[in-house]
Amino acid sequence: MLESLKKMFSGNEGDLPVHTGSKPDISREKSAELYEKAKTFFPGGVNSPVRAFKSVYGTPLFIQKGDGCYVWDADGNQFIDFCGSWGPLILGHNHPKIREKVTEVMQNGMSFGAPTALENELAELIIKNNKFVEKIRFTSSGTEAVMSAIRLARGYTGKDKIIKFEGCYHGHSDSLLVKAGSGLVTFGETSSQGVPKSFALETIVIPLNDKDAIKAAFEQFKDEVAAVIIEGIPANNGLLIQDQDYVEFLQQICKDNKALLIFDEVITGFRLGFEGAAAHYGVKPDIVTYGKIIGGGLPVGMYGASAEIMGHISPDGGVYQAGTLSGNPVAMAAGIAQLTELSRSGFYKDLNAKTTEFAESIQRFATARNYKFKVFHVGSIFWFAFTDKEAIKTAEDIDPQSMDKFKVLHRELLNRGIYIGPSGYEVGFVSAAHTKIELEKAKRAILEGLDVVFRNK
Ligand SMILES: *Cc1c(COP(=O)(O)O)cnc(C)c1O
């Protein structure tokens, strides 16, 4: 008993919160008004579905301004933001270095559809600091980058099928809007209307963390698989951290079957460091995709590989891919400014240490109170899971019922000035702009929120 009591209070004193119970809802008058209007313009009132707050309480908040780790909505509510525009804002909102660089470059015009020196500059920053890519191509979104990487893999190998994992998101291109059917190895089923069944037949969907499933897939579709695509660390459906051994196995089985291994590092690229999850695991992907952080808040995506593989892209090779606004100078400028900041020594070490402390102190509290709650984290990514499992590595391990609890936590956090993505399947991001003060404030709000969730106040 004594031992367990000791253990219970072995965290920081600050881990023991006051139970304030539910807080009154923040005012959303202006946001609600804007949302009503937006619904007359856009399906669901939004230009990307998750923004619609369908799985949490209330109407979406319309954001007016961001600065550092803070955002303000149309009603003037202030929040400490852990969404960071879904990942890109690793330096926080409206970073002066990015704003200055963008403003400077904008003076010379917005787009030329011709090469500029800025593309070279960003490419050099990336390639010099990344042993996994020799040549790259910029796109305007992560979706485009991944779609092009798939085409490249097919063009390079002369094979059509791709293997993807249940619980990984790779943007909204046809081949990848496919979910698992029933059975261990199946053709995928489309996860969106409008995707032809014949496309889904080219995508095999298997569970993560299951060597037998991928072995079976390669046996069944021998010599037909162009590529295996996985998120560097799956972070779009919870945070599904894969074992070292499994990731190495993927590399080997791809090699054995002359299939390419694609790491979709649109979230993890420049989040876990300049070399993303590939360096985290020490596993070299054949093709890698980046997005989000690379554009400093403006629309940039990228795919890259060895010079040999990239030689198959037009105009050098026969795999066609293009973009009117690809390598846009203003977007390049934002990317250059952001990556320059990230390349400073100690940047990731500090950010990751801060995140670890934040996540672990929340965990200590939850554990001491026996709450069915885990904070999974890697680098500066964290995910709140209402579970008692020690690890969650597959989509199936996530209990859909637990999202009811997230919904309550989300409301309590908004009401306490903390903004996180409006879905329990989404991860949160700590930025360099979050200081100890805001993290402490957020932690307290989260602990109070958990008390509300678990005590039904
Ligand atoms: C966000 C994301 C994408 C899609 O990028 P968009 O810029 O939204 O098109 C693709 N893959 C992963 C892993 C992502 O996180």
Side-chain angles (χ1 to χ4, degrees):
M1 182 63 200
L2 194 64
E3 267 319 294
S4 68
L5 265 181
K6 250 197 234 158
K7 215 168 149 196
M8 197 163 143
F9 293 113
S10 63
N12 303 333
E13 279 161 57
D15 289 356
L16 300 171
V18 257
H19 313 287
T20 55
S22 266
K23 286 229 166 149
D25 284 338
I26 49 168
S27 150
R28 299 197 199 191
E29 232 169 273
K30 293 245 166 58
S31 279
E33 216 173 275
L34 287 165
Y35 185 50
E36 282 312 306
K37 187 133 199 201
K39 281 196 280 189
T40 69
F41 300 134
F42 314 116
V46 289
N47 285 295
S48 197
V50 73
R51 296 178 196 171
F53 271 46
K54 288 287 183 210
S55 44
V56 293
Y57 291 107
T59 50
L61 302 180
F62 278 62
I63 304 299
Q64 201 153 48
K65 181 173 99 163
D67 192 33
C69 67
Y70 291 99
V71 290
W72 287 264
D73 69 10
D75 290 278
N77 299 305
Q78 177 181 336
F79 303 92
I80 301 171
D81 176 33
F82 290 96
C83 177
S85 190
W86 300 100
L89 305 184
I90 191 168
L91 295 173
H93 293 266
N94 203 6
H95 191 277
K97 287 272 169 54
I98 300 178
R99 191 177 59 232
E100 280 159 23
K101 180 85 181 166
V102 164
T103 315
E104 175 202 317
V105 165
M106 273 166 62
Q107 309 305 314
N108 296 323
M110 304 294 169
S111 179
F112 310 107
T116 66
L118 292 156
E119 291 152 82
N120 286 357
E121 205 180 316
L122 183 55
E124 193 165 9
L125 249 173
I126 293 162
I127 294 171
K128 257 171 72 179
N129 292 296
N130 189 320
K131 61 179 166 297
F132 302 106
V133 290
E134 290 173 352
K135 279 198 178 175
I136 64 175
R137 168 72 52 92
F138 288 121
T139 62
S140 296
S141 70
T143 294
E144 250 187 287
V146 177
M147 182 184 82
S148 311
I150 296 284
R151 186 178 302 143
L152 173 58
R154 286 174 167 153
Y156 180 79
T157 59
K159 299 187 270 188
D160 286 343
K161 294 215 181 331
I162 55 173
I163 295 177
K164 87 173 271 292
F165 298 90
E166 187 72 4
C168 283
Y169 175 71
H170 302 291
H172 61 89
S173 67
D174 282 342
S175 304
L176 294 161
L177 282 183
V178 174
K179 59 176 191 256
S182 50
L184 184 63
V185 176
T186 54
F187 294 115
E189 287 172 14
T190 63
S191 58
S192 163
Q193 292 174 12
V195 176
K197 276 208 179 65
S198 57
F199 281 43
L201 291 180
E202 303 298 345
T203 305
I204 300 145
V205 186
I206 58 171
L208 285 158
N209 189 43
D210 184 340
K211 291 182 185 173
D212 289 338
I214 192 160
K215 274 189 213 159
F218 270 114
E219 267 161 37
Q220 194 170 333
F221 301 101
K222 207 164 175 44
D223 302 324
E224 291 181 76
V225 178
V228 172
I229 183 165
I230 186 168
E231 284 184 64
I233 291 179
N236 273 290
N237 186 77
L239 184 61
L240 309 174
I241 301 172
Q242 302 299 296
D243 295 334
Q244 176 71 30
D245 167 55
Y246 179 69
V247 179
E248 285 173 10
F249 174 80
L250 289 182
Q251 184 184 35
Q252 191 56 49
I253 200 164
C254 282
K255 219 179 239 165
D256 294 345
N257 288 278
K258 296 193 169 57
L260 301 188
L261 178 62
I262 303 175
F263 272 13
D264 178 358
E265 301 231 33
V266 171
I267 281 191
T268 45
F270 308 98
R271 174 59 66 179
L272 300 181
F274 266 66
E275 296 176 313
H280 178 87
Y281 286 108
V283 167
K284 184 185 185 304
D286 297 295
I287 306 177
V288 62
T289 62
Y290 297 125
K292 299 198 166 103
I293 289 177
I294 200 175
L298 288 183
V300 182
M302 185 213 102
Y303 61 102
S306 66
E308 195 245 329
I309 293 178
M310 288 303 282
H312 288 252
I313 294 293
S314 60
D316 282 351
V319 178
Y320 190 73
Q321 186 267 315
T324 301
L325 293 174
S326 294
N328 172 270
V330 183
M332 295 290 106
I336 292 164
Q338 174 138 289
L339 297 201
T340 302
E341 292 307 301
L342 305 189
S343 67
R344 296 191 195 291
S345 113
F347 177 86
Y348 288 102
K349 199 164 157 262
D350 292 351
L351 180 59
N352 297 352
K354 211 157 61 172
T355 310
T356 301
E357 194 186 319
F358 176 63
E360 286 180 355
S361 62
I362 296 166
Q363 187 65 68
R364 277 198 297 273
F365 166 84
T367 306
R369 297 226 161 155
N370 270 322
Y371 290 162
K372 228 174 118 175
F373 180 77
K374 287 269 151 52
V375 189
F376 295 107
H377 62 100
V378 61
S380 48
I381 310 173
F382 65 86
W383 178 49
F384 295 151
F386 289 88
T387 184
D388 46 15
K389 293 191 171 93
E390 278 312 311
I392 294 193
K393 293 176 189 168
T394 70
E396 252 200 340
D397 283 341
I398 303 175
D399 172 15
Q401 293 298 316
S402 70
M403 295 302 154
D404 296 346
K405 291 199 168 65
F406 176 83
K407 203 171 158 177
V408 176
L409 179 66
H410 185 264
R411 182 194 65 205
E412 293 303 320
L413 290 185
L414 282 186
N415 292 343
R416 286 169 170 79
I418 309 297
Y419 190 92
I420 57 173
S423 158
Y425 290 96
E426 301 290 349
V427 296
F429 301 98
V430 176
S431 79
H434 291 86
T435 71
K436 277 211 152 68
I437 295 167
E438 284 100 8
L439 290 174
E440 188 59 36
K441 211 172 145 192
K443 185 179 94 184
R444 219 177 160 74
I446 291 159
L447 305 186
E448 288 179 8
L450 287 175
D451 274 347
V452 175
V453 170
F454 286 100
R455 290 169 189 219
N456 243 340
K457 278 187 191 173

